[in-house]
Amino acid sequence: MKLTIGCDHGGRRLKDAIVAHLAKQYIQVADIGTYSDASVDFPSYAEEVAHQVVSGEADLGILCCGTGIGMSIAANKVAGIRAAVVSDCFSAQATREHNNSNILCLGERVVGEGLALRIVDTWLGATFDGERHERRLQMITELEQKNEM
């Protein structure tokens, strides 16, 4: 499994903790930054992670910012992305099983490090259930195509 991860200044510490956690599990992670606490514009990082996921360069992505919300909004502008903001393990599992989410968004100011690592493990361990959910994902794809500019 190949993962790509990115953050803005509000999520850098959490991103670094996730990268270290995944390295202990021998999961390949491409860290696109940011690497400092200097203010940066989160949409650039969300776009890069999203493009790596839709191109197949990465299987899944993780984005961190202060709340996870801005990252999810930006990432979801890329066709084929299903980015979900998650702050509990139940939602992490459900968003993979039901929505086949391909980017996990976390808020450093919302979720503590310990819980965030459990969320990441839960999300990575869950798989898409398919069946009845497949029809709904197709509806989302059609919605994206209908609203392309």
Side-chain angles (χ1 to χ4, degrees), residues 37-106:
D37 293 331
S39 182
V40 296
D41 297 322
F42 68 85
S44 300
Y45 295 90
E47 181 180 25
E48 177 62 26
V49 167
H51 281 297
Q52 287 186 20
V53 171
V54 295
S55 73
E57 192 175 335
D59 299 308
L60 297 170
I62 299 175
L63 290 165
C64 302
C65 65
T67 63
I69 297 168
M71 287 292 199
S72 71
I73 291 170
N76 279 317
K77 298 298 181 188
V78 176
I81 291 301
R82 292 172 307 280
V85 181
V86 175
S87 57
D88 62 89
C89 291
F90 175 80
S91 297
Q93 183 170 340
T95 193
R96 287 286 292 143
E97 291 178 351
H98 295 206
N99 309 120
N100 202 18
S101 61
N102 49 15
I103 295 181
L104 174 66
C105 299
L106 296 165

Side-chain angles (χ1 to χ4, degrees), residues 10-11 19 28 35-36 43 48 50 56 58 72 92-93 101 107 110 134:
V19 169
Q28 183 179 351
Y35 308 107
S36 77
E48 177 62 26
S72 71
Q93 183 170 340
S101 61
V110 178
E134 195 67 52

